[in-house]
Amino acid sequence: MILRDVLPSPALQEYIRKHQIIRFKFGNEVVVPAKVYSPRPEQCLMFYLRDLSNITYSSLDQLKKHPKCTINGMHTFATIRHVTRDFWALQIVFQPGAMFRLTGIPSFELSNTFIDAEAVWSSDIKQAYEQMTNCDDVDKSIKIAEAFLEKIIKKSKNSLHGIDTIGQIILNQEMPKSMDYFADQSCLSVRQFHRKFTERNGISPKSFDRITRFDRAFRMKNRQPDLDWLSIAMNCGYYDYQHLSKDFLDFTSMTPNGFYEIDTKAPERAFGNKEV
């Protein structure tokens, strides 16, 4: 198994938060578990370099197959991902607003769904994908992906906006701030701030802030499983346990303990890893 986060080259860090390498290879005798994937404050480009992944949006939903190069919009609810026996993916996690800058697609059109990246970048991404599947070296695959990203960045016509900086502040803040504060920092009226933020990130700034806090709490539990939920709530800017529990119910339809228990059965746990 390989599960690794890699920082992008300095030239790409304005657009890319990180590269994630996810590599599982299960034996024929193993029943491959599904992954309940929690909402995260991120938009991604996925390269599936071996078998493809399937996704369902509820336990009653039909399987939907991801394209080999997939653009994932921001999700506000948990999804169920079904990986295969030979699973190798390179996930490019974008900075806030970067997907809009590179595609020109209003990000709210991508929320809670995914699209084929070849429909956006056609021959450029197809060529990069073919090069990546013909090599087994992780670092070389990242270099190919970065060369592709540098090419599409040069073609981009959308510049960095103050709203994008606000998104990064929300991602990195230790304690939550008011939306009025962020609107003031962006030099926009509250209404304009909400409209521009949703256009560039897919969801409202309040929802983005809530998902960021929820994601921070869930990852803290994964890293420190013996830590109680009240302590996690206090450390992540919640008022109390009930405040944290409401976010879990809204984003996963489960209690904090219920969702954590489901996550302990995720594919990466079979290899001893705590999170992906």
Side-chain angles (χ1 to χ4, degrees), residues 243-262:
H243 188 198
L244 177 147
S245 183
K246 183 180 185 304
D247 273 1
F248 268 82
L249 288 170
D250 286 349
F251 295 137
T252 72
S253 301
M254 300 181 201
T255 64
N257 274 333
F259 190 74
Y260 176 73
E261 182 63 27
I262 289 289

Side-chain angles (χ1 to χ4, degrees), residues 17 40-42 74 95-97 162-186 193-194 196-198 201 203-217 235-237:
R17 283 169 57 193
R40 300 165 189 216
E42 59 189 34
M74 194 84 70
Q95 295 282 11
I163 289 290
D164 305 327
T165 304
I166 296 300
Q168 293 182 34
I169 292 172
I170 293 174
L171 281 176
N172 296 306
Q173 67 181 347
E174 293 186 4
M175 298 300 289
K177 298 179 177 63
S178 71
M179 293 300 111
D180 287 347
Y181 169 83
F182 290 125
D184 183 65
Q185 291 296 301
S186 67
F193 169 64
H194 278 253
K196 292 291 285 185
F197 192 98
T198 304
N201 292 285
I203 58 177
S204 72
K206 183 176 180 180
S207 294
F208 188 88
D209 184 53
R210 286 183 66 202
I211 289 176
T212 299
R213 186 170 53 213
F214 158 82
D215 185 60
R216 185 179 298 122
N235 281 323
C236 294

